Coordinates of all heavy atoms in Angstrom, one line a residue:
M209 N -47.5 -2.5 71.1 CA -48.3 -2.0 72.2 C -47.7 -2.5 73.5 O -47.3 -3.7 73.6 CB -49.7 -2.5 72.1 CG -50.6 -2.1 73.2 SD -52.3 -2.6 73.1 CE -52.9 -1.8 71.6
S210 N -47.5 -1.7 74.5 CA -46.9 -2.1 75.8 C -47.9 -2.8 76.6 O -49.1 -2.8 76.4 CB -46.4 -0.8 76.5 OG -47.5 -0.1 77.0
D211 N -47.4 -3.5 77.6 CA -48.2 -4.3 78.6 C -49.1 -3.3 79.3 O -50.3 -3.6 79.6 CB -47.3 -5.1 79.6 CG -46.8 -6.3 78.9 OD1 -47.3 -6.7 77.9 OD2 -45.8 -6.9 79.5
S212 N -48.6 -2.1 79.6 CA -49.4 -1.1 80.3 C -50.6 -0.7 79.5 O -51.7 -0.5 80.0 CB -48.6 0.1 80.6 OG -49.3 1.1 81.2
D213 N -50.4 -0.5 78.2 CA -51.5 -0.2 77.3 C -52.5 -1.3 77.2 O -53.7 -1.0 77.2 CB -51.0 0.1 75.9 CG -50.2 1.4 75.8 OD1 -50.4 2.3 76.6 OD2 -49.3 1.5 74.8
R214 N -52.1 -2.5 77.1 CA -53.0 -3.6 77.1 C -53.8 -3.7 78.4 O -55.0 -4.0 78.4 CB -52.2 -4.9 76.9 CG -51.6 -5.1 75.5 CD -51.0 -6.5 75.3 NE -50.0 -6.5 74.3 CZ -50.3 -6.5 73.0 NH1 -51.5 -6.4 72.6 NH2 -49.3 -6.5 72.1
S215 N -53.1 -3.5 79.5 CA -53.8 -3.5 80.8 C -54.9 -2.5 80.8 O -56.0 -2.7 81.3 CB -52.8 -3.3 81.9 OG -53.4 -3.4 83.1
Q216 N -54.6 -1.3 80.3 CA -55.6 -0.2 80.3 C -56.8 -0.5 79.4 O -57.9 -0.2 79.8 CB -54.9 1.1 79.9 CG -54.0 1.7 80.9 CD -53.3 3.0 80.4 OE1 -53.4 3.3 79.3 NE2 -52.6 3.6 81.4
R217 N -56.5 -1.2 78.3 CA -57.6 -1.6 77.4 C -58.5 -2.6 78.1 O -59.7 -2.6 78.0 CB -57.0 -2.1 76.1 CG -56.5 -1.0 75.2 CD -56.2 -1.6 73.9 NE -55.8 -0.6 73.0 CZ -55.8 -0.7 71.7 NH1 -56.1 -1.8 71.1 NH2 -55.4 0.3 70.9
V218 N -57.9 -3.6 78.8 CA -58.6 -4.6 79.5 C -59.5 -4.0 80.6 O -60.7 -4.3 80.7 CB -57.7 -5.7 80.1 CG1 -58.4 -6.6 81.1 CG2 -57.1 -6.5 79.0
D219 N -58.9 -3.0 81.3 CA -59.7 -2.3 82.4 C -60.8 -1.6 81.8 O -61.9 -1.6 82.3 CB -58.8 -1.4 83.1 CG -57.8 -2.1 84.1 OD1 -58.0 -3.3 84.3 OD2 -56.8 -1.5 84.5
A220 N -60.6 -0.9 80.6 CA -61.7 -0.2 80.0 C -62.9 -1.1 79.6 O -64.0 -0.8 79.7 CB -61.2 0.5 78.8
L221 N -62.5 -2.3 79.1 CA -63.6 -3.3 78.7 C -64.3 -3.7 79.9 O -65.6 -3.8 79.9 CB -63.0 -4.5 78.0 CG -62.5 -4.2 76.6 CD1 -61.8 -5.5 76.1 CD2 -63.6 -3.9 75.7
L222 N -63.6 -4.0 81.0 CA -64.3 -4.5 82.2 C -65.1 -3.4 82.8 O -66.2 -3.7 83.3 CB -63.2 -5.0 83.2 CG -62.5 -6.3 82.9 CD1 -61.3 -6.5 83.9 CD2 -63.4 -7.4 82.9
N223 N -64.7 -2.2 82.8 CA -65.5 -1.1 83.4 C -66.7 -0.8 82.6 O -67.7 -0.3 83.2 CB -64.6 0.1 83.5 CG -63.5 0.0 84.6 OD1 -63.7 -0.7 85.5 ND2 -62.5 0.7 84.4
G224 N -66.8 -1.2 81.4 CA -67.9 -1.0 80.5 C -69.0 -2.0 80.6 O -70.1 -1.9 80.1
L225 N -68.7 -3.2 81.3 CA -69.6 -4.2 81.5 C -70.6 -3.9 82.5 O -70.3 -3.3 83.6 CB -68.9 -5.5 81.8 CG -68.0 -6.1 80.8 CD1 -67.3 -7.3 81.3 CD2 -68.8 -6.5 79.5
P226 N -71.9 -4.3 82.3 CA -72.9 -4.1 83.4 C -72.6 -4.9 84.6 O -72.1 -6.0 84.5 CB -74.2 -4.4 82.7 CG -73.8 -5.4 81.6 CD -72.5 -5.0 81.2
E227 N -73.0 -4.4 85.8 CA -72.8 -5.2 87.0 C -73.8 -6.4 87.0 O -75.0 -6.2 86.6 CB -73.1 -4.3 88.2 CG -72.7 -4.9 89.5 CD -72.7 -3.9 90.6 OE1 -72.7 -2.7 90.4 OE2 -72.7 -4.4 91.8
A228 N -73.4 -7.5 87.5 CA -74.2 -8.7 87.5 C -75.3 -8.6 88.6 O -75.1 -8.0 89.7 CB -73.4 -9.9 87.8
L229 N -76.5 -9.0 88.2 CA -77.6 -9.1 89.1 C -77.5 -10.3 90.0 O -76.9 -11.3 89.6 CB -78.9 -9.2 88.4 CG -79.4 -8.0 87.6 CD1 -80.5 -8.4 86.6 CD2 -79.9 -6.9 88.5
P230 N -78.1 -10.3 91.2 CA -78.1 -11.5 92.0 C -78.9 -12.6 91.3 O -79.6 -12.3 90.3 CB -78.9 -11.1 93.3 CG -78.9 -9.6 93.3 CD -78.7 -9.2 91.9
S231 N -78.8 -13.8 91.7 CA -79.5 -14.9 91.1 C -81.0 -14.7 91.2 O -81.4 -14.0 92.1 CB -79.1 -16.3 91.7 OG -79.7 -16.3 93.0
P232 N -81.8 -15.2 90.3 CA -83.3 -15.1 90.5 C -83.8 -15.5 91.9 O -84.6 -14.8 92.4 CB -83.8 -16.0 89.4 CG -82.7 -16.0 88.3 CD -81.4 -16.0 89.1
R233 N -83.2 -16.5 92.4 CA -83.7 -17.0 93.8 C -83.4 -15.9 94.8 O -84.3 -15.7 95.6 CB -82.9 -18.3 94.1 CG -83.2 -18.9 95.5 CD -82.4 -20.1 95.7 NE -82.4 -20.9 94.5 CZ -83.1 -22.1 94.4 NH1 -83.8 -22.5 95.4 NH2 -83.1 -22.8 93.3
V234 N -82.2 -15.3 94.7 CA -81.9 -14.3 95.7 C -82.8 -13.0 95.5 O -83.2 -12.4 96.5 CB -80.4 -13.9 95.6 CG1 -80.1 -12.7 96.5 CG2 -79.6 -15.1 96.1
R235 N -83.1 -12.7 94.3 CA -84.0 -11.6 94.0 C -85.3 -11.7 94.7 O -85.8 -10.8 95.4 CB -84.2 -11.4 92.5 CG -83.0 -11.2 91.7 CD -83.3 -11.3 90.2 NE -82.1 -11.6 89.4 CZ -82.1 -11.8 88.1 NH1 -83.2 -11.9 87.4 NH2 -81.0 -12.1 87.5
A236 N -85.9 -12.9 94.6 CA -87.1 -13.2 95.3 C -87.0 -13.2 96.8 O -87.8 -12.6 97.5 CB -87.7 -14.5 94.8
K237 N -85.9 -13.8 97.3 CA -85.7 -13.8 98.8 C -85.5 -12.4 99.3 O -86.1 -12.1 100.4 CB -84.4 -14.6 99.1 CG -84.6 -16.1 98.9 CD -83.4 -16.9 99.2 CE -82.9 -16.6 100.6 NZ -81.7 -17.4 100.9
L238 N -84.9 -11.5 98.6 CA -84.7 -10.1 99.1 C -86.1 -9.4 99.1 O -86.4 -8.7 100.1 CB -83.7 -9.4 98.2 CG -82.3 -9.7 98.3 CD1 -81.4 -9.1 97.2 CD2 -81.7 -9.3 99.7
R239 N -86.8 -9.6 98.1 CA -88.2 -9.0 98.0 C -89.0 -9.4 99.2 O -89.6 -8.6 99.9 CB -88.8 -9.3 96.7 CG -90.3 -8.7 96.6 CD -90.9 -9.1 95.3 NE -91.0 -10.5 95.0 CZ -91.9 -11.4 95.6 NH1 -92.7 -11.0 96.5 NH2 -91.9 -12.6 95.2
L240 N -89.0 -10.7 99.4 CA -89.9 -11.3 100.5 C -89.4 -10.9 101.9 O -90.2 -10.6 102.8 CB -89.9 -12.8 100.4 CG -90.7 -13.3 99.2 CD1 -90.5 -14.8 99.0 CD2 -92.1 -13.0 99.2
A241 N -88.1 -10.8 102.0 CA -87.5 -10.4 103.3 C -87.9 -8.9 103.7 O -88.1 -8.6 104.8 CB -86.0 -10.4 103.3
A242 N -88.1 -8.1 102.6 CA -88.5 -6.7 102.8 C -90.0 -6.6 103.0 O -90.5 -5.5 103.2 CB -88.0 -5.9 101.7
G243 N -90.8 -7.7 102.8 CA -92.2 -7.7 102.8 C -92.8 -7.0 101.6 O -93.9 -6.4 101.7
L244 N -92.2 -7.0 100.5 CA -92.7 -6.4 99.3 C -93.3 -7.4 98.4 O -92.9 -8.5 98.3 CB -91.5 -5.7 98.6 CG -90.8 -4.6 99.3 CD1 -89.5 -4.1 98.6 CD2 -91.7 -3.4 99.6
T245 N -94.3 -6.9 97.6 CA -94.9 -7.8 96.6 C -94.2 -7.5 95.3 O -93.5 -6.5 95.1 CB -96.4 -7.4 96.4 OG1 -96.5 -6.1 95.9 CG2 -97.1 -7.5 97.8
Q246 N -94.5 -8.4 94.3 CA -93.9 -8.2 93.0 C -94.5 -6.9 92.4 O -93.8 -6.2 91.7 CB -94.3 -9.4 92.1 CG -93.4 -10.6 92.5 CD -93.8 -11.8 91.6 OE1 -94.9 -11.9 91.1 NE2 -92.8 -12.7 91.5
Q247 N -95.7 -6.6 92.7 CA -96.3 -5.4 92.2 C -95.6 -4.1 92.8 O -95.4 -3.1 92.1 CB -97.8 -5.3 92.6 CG -98.6 -4.1 91.9 CD -98.5 -4.3 90.4 OE1 -99.0 -5.3 89.8 NE2 -98.0 -3.3 89.7
D248 N -95.2 -4.2 94.1 CA -94.5 -3.1 94.7 C -93.2 -2.8 93.9 O -92.8 -1.7 93.6 CB -94.1 -3.4 96.1 CG -95.2 -3.5 97.1 OD1 -96.3 -2.8 96.8 OD2 -95.1 -4.2 98.1
I249 N -92.5 -3.9 93.6 CA -91.2 -3.8 92.8 C -91.5 -3.3 91.4 O -90.8 -2.4 90.9 CB -90.5 -5.2 92.7 CG1 -90.2 -5.8 94.1 CG2 -89.3 -5.1 91.8 CD1 -89.2 -5.0 94.9
A250 N -92.5 -3.8 90.8 CA -92.9 -3.4 89.4 C -93.2 -1.9 89.4 O -92.7 -1.2 88.5 CB -94.1 -4.2 88.9
D251 N -94.0 -1.4 90.3 CA -94.4 0.0 90.4 C -93.1 0.9 90.6 O -93.0 1.9 89.9 CB -95.4 0.2 91.5 CG -96.7 -0.4 91.2 OD1 -97.0 -0.7 90.1 OD2 -97.5 -0.5 92.2
A252 N -92.2 0.4 91.4 CA -91.0 1.2 91.7 C -90.1 1.3 90.5 O -89.5 2.3 90.2 CB -90.3 0.7 92.9
V253 N -90.0 0.2 89.8 CA -89.0 0.1 88.7 C -89.6 0.6 87.4 O -88.9 1.0 86.5 CB -88.5 -1.4 88.6 CG1 -87.6 -1.5 87.4 CG2 -87.8 -1.8 89.8
G254 N -90.9 0.5 87.3 CA -91.6 1.0 86.1 C -91.9 0.0 85.1 O -91.8 0.3 83.9
V255 N -92.2 -1.2 85.5 CA -92.6 -2.3 84.6 C -93.9 -3.0 85.1 O -94.4 -2.6 86.2 CB -91.5 -3.4 84.6 CG1 -90.2 -2.8 84.0 CG2 -91.2 -4.0 86.0
K256 N -94.4 -3.9 84.4 CA -95.5 -4.7 84.8 C -95.1 -5.8 85.7 O -94.0 -6.3 85.7 CB -96.2 -5.3 83.6 CG -96.8 -4.2 82.7 CD -97.6 -4.9 81.5 CE -98.2 -3.7 80.7 NZ -99.0 -4.2 79.6
R257 N -96.0 -6.2 86.6 CA -95.7 -7.3 87.6 C -95.2 -8.5 86.9 O -94.3 -9.2 87.4 CB -97.0 -7.6 88.4 CG -96.6 -8.6 89.5 CD -97.9 -9.2 90.2 NE -98.7 -9.9 89.3 CZ -98.5 -11.1 88.8 NH1 -97.4 -11.8 89.2 NH2 -99.3 -11.7 87.9
V258 N -95.7 -8.9 85.8 CA -95.3 -10.1 85.1 C -93.8 -10.0 84.7 O -93.1 -11.1 84.8 CB -96.2 -10.4 83.8 CG1 -95.9 -9.4 82.7 CG2 -95.9 -11.8 83.3
A259 N -93.3 -8.9 84.5 CA -91.8 -8.7 84.3 C -91.0 -9.1 85.5 O -90.0 -9.9 85.4 CB -91.5 -7.3 83.8
V260 N -91.5 -8.7 86.7 CA -90.8 -9.0 87.9 C -90.9 -10.5 88.1 O -89.9 -11.2 88.5 CB -91.4 -8.2 89.1 CG1 -90.7 -8.7 90.4 CG2 -91.2 -6.7 88.9
T261 N -92.0 -11.1 87.9 CA -92.2 -12.6 88.0 C -91.2 -13.3 87.1 O -90.5 -14.2 87.6 CB -93.6 -13.0 87.6 OG1 -94.6 -12.4 88.4 CG2 -93.8 -14.5 87.6
R262 N -91.0 -12.9 85.9 CA -90.1 -13.5 85.0 C -88.6 -13.3 85.4 O -87.8 -14.2 85.2 CB -90.3 -13.0 83.5 CG -91.6 -13.5 83.0 CD -91.9 -12.9 81.6 NE -93.1 -13.4 81.1 CZ -93.9 -12.7 80.2 NH1 -93.5 -11.5 79.8 NH2 -95.0 -13.3 79.8
W263 N -88.3 -12.1 86.0 CA -87.0 -11.9 86.4 C -86.7 -12.8 87.6 O -85.6 -13.4 87.7 CB -86.8 -10.4 86.9 CG -87.0 -9.4 85.9 CD1 -87.0 -9.6 84.5 CD2 -87.2 -8.0 86.1 NE1 -87.2 -8.4 83.9 CE2 -87.3 -7.4 84.8 CE3 -87.3 -7.2 87.2 CZ2 -87.5 -6.0 84.6 CZ3 -87.5 -5.8 87.0 CH2 -87.6 -5.3 85.8
E264 N -87.6 -13.0 88.5 CA -87.4 -13.9 89.7 C -87.4 -15.3 89.3 O -86.9 -16.1 90.1 CB -88.5 -13.6 90.7 CG -88.3 -12.3 91.4 CD -89.3 -12.0 92.5 OE1 -90.2 -12.9 92.8 OE2 -89.3 -10.9 93.1
L265 N -88.0 -15.7 88.2 CA -87.9 -17.1 87.7 C -86.7 -17.3 86.8 O -86.5 -18.5 86.5 CB -89.2 -17.4 87.0 CG -90.5 -17.5 87.8 CD1 -91.7 -17.7 86.9 CD2 -90.4 -18.6 88.8
G266 N -86.0 -16.3 86.5 CA -84.9 -16.4 85.6 C -85.2 -16.6 84.1 O -84.4 -17.0 83.3
Q267 N -86.5 -16.3 83.8 CA -86.9 -16.5 82.4 C -86.5 -15.3 81.5 O -86.2 -15.5 80.3 CB -88.5 -16.6 82.4 CG -89.0 -17.8 83.0 CD -90.5 -17.8 83.1 OE1 -91.2 -16.8 82.9 NE2 -91.1 -19.0 83.3
T268 N -86.4 -14.1 82.1 CA -85.9 -13.0 81.4 C -85.0 -12.1 82.3 O -85.0 -12.4 83.5 CB -87.0 -12.1 80.9 OG1 -87.8 -11.6 82.0 CG2 -87.9 -12.8 79.9
S269 N -84.3 -11.2 81.8 CA -83.5 -10.2 82.6 C -83.9 -8.8 82.2 O -84.3 -8.5 81.1 CB -82.0 -10.4 82.3 OG -81.6 -11.7 82.7
P270 N -83.9 -8.0 83.2 CA -84.3 -6.6 83.0 C -83.3 -5.9 82.0 O -82.1 -6.2 82.0 CB -84.2 -5.9 84.3 CG -83.4 -6.8 85.2 CD -83.5 -8.2 84.6
R271 N -83.8 -5.0 81.2 CA -83.0 -4.2 80.3 C -83.0 -2.7 80.8 O -83.8 -2.3 81.6 CB -83.5 -4.3 78.9 CG -83.2 -5.7 78.3 CD -83.7 -5.8 76.9 NE -85.0 -6.4 77.0 CZ -85.8 -6.5 75.9 NH1 -85.5 -6.0 74.8 NH2 -87.0 -7.1 76.1
R272 N -82.1 -1.9 80.2 CA -82.1 -0.5 80.5 C -83.4 0.1 80.2 O -84.0 -0.2 79.3 CB -81.0 0.2 79.7 CG -79.6 -0.2 80.1 CD -78.6 0.6 79.2 NE -77.3 0.0 79.3 CZ -76.4 0.2 78.5 NH1 -76.5 1.2 77.5 NH2 -75.2 -0.4 78.6
P273 N -83.8 1.2 80.9 CA -83.2 1.7 82.2 C -83.7 0.9 83.4 O -83.2 1.2 84.5 CB -83.7 3.1 82.2 CG -85.1 3.0 81.6 CD -85.0 1.9 80.5
H274 N -84.5 -0.1 83.2 CA -85.1 -0.8 84.3 C -84.0 -1.6 85.1 O -84.1 -1.8 86.3 CB -86.2 -1.7 83.9 CG -87.3 -1.0 83.2 ND1 -87.5 -1.2 81.8 CD2 -88.1 0.0 83.6 CE1 -88.5 -0.3 81.4 NE2 -88.9 0.4 82.5
R275 N -83.0 -2.1 84.3 CA -82.0 -2.9 85.0 C -81.2 -2.1 86.0 O -81.0 -2.6 87.1 CB -81.0 -3.4 83.9 CG -79.8 -4.2 84.4 CD -78.8 -4.5 83.4 NE -77.7 -5.2 83.9 CZ -77.6 -6.4 84.3 NH1 -78.6 -7.2 84.0 NH2 -76.5 -6.9 84.8
E276 N -80.9 -0.9 85.7 CA -80.1 0.0 86.7 C -81.0 0.2 88.0 O -80.5 0.1 89.1 CB -79.7 1.3 86.1 CG -78.6 1.1 85.0 CD -79.1 0.8 83.6 OE1 -80.3 0.7 83.4 OE2 -78.2 0.6 82.8
N277 N -82.2 0.5 87.8 CA -83.1 0.8 88.9 C -83.3 -0.5 89.7 O -83.3 -0.4 91.0 CB -84.4 1.4 88.5 CG -84.3 2.8 87.9 OD1 -83.5 3.5 88.4 ND2 -85.1 3.1 86.9
Y278 N -83.5 -1.6 89.1 CA -83.8 -2.9 89.8 C -82.5 -3.3 90.5 O -82.6 -3.7 91.7 CB -84.1 -3.9 88.7 CG -84.6 -5.3 89.3 CD1 -85.5 -5.4 90.3 CD2 -84.1 -6.4 88.8 CE1 -85.9 -6.6 90.8 CE2 -84.5 -7.7 89.3 CZ -85.4 -7.7 90.3 OH -85.8 -9.0 90.8
L279 N -81.4 -3.1 89.9 CA -80.1 -3.4 90.6 C -79.9 -2.5 91.8 O -79.5 -3.0 92.9 CB -78.9 -3.3 89.6 CG -77.5 -3.6 90.2 CD1 -77.5 -5.0 90.7 CD2 -76.5 -3.4 89.1
R280 N -80.2 -1.3 91.7 CA -80.1 -0.4 92.8 C -81.0 -0.8 94.0 O -80.6 -0.8 95.1 CB -80.4 1.1 92.4 CG -79.9 2.1 93.4 CD -79.9 3.5 92.8 NE -81.0 4.2 93.5 CZ -82.0 4.9 92.9 NH1 -82.0 5.0 91.6 NH2 -82.9 5.5 93.5
L281 N -82.2 -1.2 93.6 CA -83.1 -1.6 94.6 C -82.6 -2.9 95.3 O -82.6 -3.0 96.5 CB -84.5 -1.9 94.0 CG -85.6 -2.5 94.9 CD1 -85.9 -1.5 96.1 CD2 -86.8 -2.8 94.1
L282 N -82.2 -3.8 94.5 CA -81.7 -5.1 95.1 C -80.4 -4.9 96.0 O -80.3 -5.5 97.0 CB -81.3 -6.1 94.0 CG -82.5 -6.6 93.2 CD1 -82.0 -7.4 92.0 CD2 -83.4 -7.4 94.0
K283 N -79.6 -4.0 95.6 CA -78.4 -3.7 96.4 C -78.8 -3.1 97.8 O -78.3 -3.5 98.8 CB -77.5 -2.7 95.7 CG -76.6 -3.2 94.7 CD -75.8 -2.1 94.1 CE -74.7 -2.6 93.2 NZ -73.9 -1.5 92.7
G284 N -79.8 -2.2 97.7 CA -80.3 -1.6 99.0 C -81.0 -2.7 99.9 O -80.8 -2.7 101.1
L285 N -81.7 -3.6 99.3 CA -82.3 -4.6 100.0 C -81.3 -5.6 100.6 O -81.4 -6.0 101.7 CB -83.3 -5.4 99.2 CG -84.6 -4.6 98.7 CD1 -85.4 -5.5 97.8 CD2 -85.4 -4.1 99.9
A286 N -80.2 -5.9 99.8 CA -79.2 -6.8 100.3 C -78.4 -6.2 101.5 O -78.0 -6.9 102.4 CB -78.2 -7.1 99.2
E287 N -78.3 -4.8 101.5 CA -77.7 -4.2 102.7 C -78.5 -4.3 103.9 O -78.0 -4.5 105.0 CB -77.4 -2.7 102.3 CG -76.3 -2.5 101.3 CD -76.1 -1.0 100.9 OE1 -76.8 -0.2 101.6 OE2 -75.3 -0.8 100.0
R288 N -79.8 -4.2 103.7 CA -80.8 -4.2 104.9 C -81.1 -5.7 105.3 O -81.4 -5.9 106.5 CB -82.1 -3.5 104.5 CG -81.9 -2.1 104.3 CD -83.1 -1.3 104.1 NE -82.8 0.1 103.8 CZ -83.7 1.0 103.6 NH1 -85.0 0.6 103.6 NH2 -83.4 2.2 103.3
F289 N -81.0 -6.6 104.4 CA -81.3 -8.0 104.7 C -80.2 -8.9 104.2 O -80.4 -9.7 103.2 CB -82.7 -8.4 104.0 CG -83.8 -7.5 104.4 CD1 -84.2 -6.4 103.6 CD2 -84.5 -7.6 105.6 CE1 -85.2 -5.6 103.9 CE2 -85.5 -6.8 105.9 CZ -85.9 -5.7 105.1
P290 N -79.0 -8.9 104.9 CA -77.9 -9.6 104.4 C -78.1 -11.1 104.3 O -77.6 -11.8 103.5 CB -76.8 -9.2 105.3 CG -77.4 -8.6 106.5 CD -78.7 -8.1 106.0
E291 N -78.9 -11.7 105.3 CA -79.2 -13.1 105.3 C -79.9 -13.5 104.0 O -79.7 -14.6 103.5 CB -79.9 -13.5 106.5 CG -79.1 -13.5 107.8 CD -77.9 -14.4 107.7 OE1 -78.1 -15.6 107.3 OE2 -76.8 -14.0 108.0
A292 N -80.9 -12.7 103.6 CA -81.6 -13.0 102.4 C -80.8 -12.9 101.1 O -81.1 -13.5 100.1 CB -82.8 -12.1 102.2
A293 N -79.7 -12.1 101.2 CA -78.8 -12.0 100.0 C -78.0 -13.2 99.8 O -77.4 -13.3 98.7 CB -77.9 -10.7 100.2
K294 N -77.9 -14.1 100.7 CA -77.1 -15.3 100.6 C -78.0 -16.3 99.8 O -79.1 -16.6 100.1 CB -76.7 -15.9 101.9 CG -75.8 -15.0 102.7 CD -75.5 -15.6 104.0 CE -74.6 -14.6 104.8 NZ -74.4 -15.1 106.2
A295 N -77.4 -17.0 98.8 CA -78.1 -18.0 98.0 C -78.3 -19.2 98.9 O -77.5 -19.7 99.6 CB -77.3 -18.3 96.8
N296 N -79.6 -19.7 98.8 CA -79.9 -20.9 99.5 C -80.4 -21.9 98.5 O -81.5 -21.9 98.1 CB -81.0 -20.7 100.6 CG -81.4 -21.9 101.3 OD1 -80.9 -23.0 101.1 ND2 -82.2 -21.7 102.3
E297 N -79.5 -22.8 98.0 CA -79.7 -23.6 96.9 C -80.8 -24.7 97.2 O -81.3 -25.3 96.3 CB -78.4 -24.3 96.4 CG -77.4 -23.3 95.9 CD -78.0 -22.5 94.8 OE1 -78.7 -23.0 93.9 OE2 -77.7 -21.3 94.7
G298 N -81.1 -24.9 98.5 CA -82.0 -26.0 98.8 C -83.5 -25.6 98.8 O -84.3 -26.5 98.9
S299 N -83.8 -24.4 98.7 CA -85.2 -24.0 98.7 C -85.7 -23.6 97.4 O -85.0 -23.2 96.5 CB -85.4 -22.8 99.7 OG -84.7 -21.7 99.2
A300 N -87.0 -23.7 97.2 CA -87.7 -23.3 96.0 C -87.7 -21.8 95.8 O -87.8 -21.1 96.8 CB -89.1 -23.9 95.9
T301 N -87.8 -21.3 94.6 CA -87.9 -19.9 94.3 C -89.3 -19.5 94.5 O -90.2 -20.0 93.8 CB -87.4 -19.6 92.9 OG1 -86.0 -20.0 92.8 CG2 -87.5 -18.1 92.7
P302 N -89.6 -18.6 95.4 CA -91.0 -18.0 95.5 C -91.3 -17.2 94.2 O -90.5 -16.3 93.9 CB -91.0 -17.2 96.7 CG -89.6 -17.2 97.3 CD -88.8 -18.0 96.4
S303 N -92.4 -17.4 93.5 CA -92.5 -16.8 92.2 C -93.6 -15.7 92.2 O -93.5 -14.7 91.5 CB -92.9 -17.8 91.2 OG -94.1 -18.5 91.5
S304 N -94.6 -15.8 93.0 CA -95.6 -14.8 93.0 C -96.5 -14.8 94.3 O -96.4 -15.7 95.1 CB -96.5 -14.9 91.8 OG -97.3 -16.1 91.9
E305 N -97.3 -13.9 94.4 CA -98.3 -13.8 95.5 C -99.6 -14.4 95.1 O -100.6 -14.2 95.8 CB -98.5 -12.4 96.0 CG -97.2 -11.8 96.6 CD -96.2 -11.4 95.7 OE1 -96.5 -10.9 94.6 OE2 -95.0 -11.7 96.0
G306 N -99.7 -15.1 94.1 CA -101.0 -15.6 93.6 C -101.8 -14.6 92.8 O -101.5 -13.4 92.8
G307 N -102.8 -15.0 92.2 CA -103.6 -14.1 91.4 C -102.9 -13.7 90.1 O -101.8 -14.1 89.9
S308 N -103.7 -13.1 89.3 CA -103.1 -12.7 88.0 C -103.2 -11.1 87.9 O -103.9 -10.5 88.7 CB -103.9 -13.3 86.8 OG -105.2 -12.8 86.9
G309 N -102.4 -10.6 87.0 CA -102.5 -9.2 86.9 C -101.4 -8.5 86.4 O -100.9 -7.6 86.3

C-alpha cells in the first residue's frame, strides 16, 4: 500500500469522527450568555431538561440525533457570544435555574 493510500485511509477515518462538543462549562456559559434556560435548550433539541443539566455537568453526552442539533445550537451561540465560548477554568459551572422538572 502506498503512502498516498494510507493518507487517504487516515483522512477517511478522521472525517468519520463526530465533531467535539465544547466543555460542559462552556456549554453552560453559552446558554447563560444568550439568556436561555435549560428548558429552552431541551425544548429546541427535543430532550428533557434533566438531559441538558447532565450535559452541562459533564455527567452524560448527547447522542444522535440530539448531538447534531445541540452542537449546531452551541456553534451558533459561540458565534454570537465569543467571550462565553472561551473556557474560564476559575469559575464554577452553572448547572440549573433551580426547581425541578
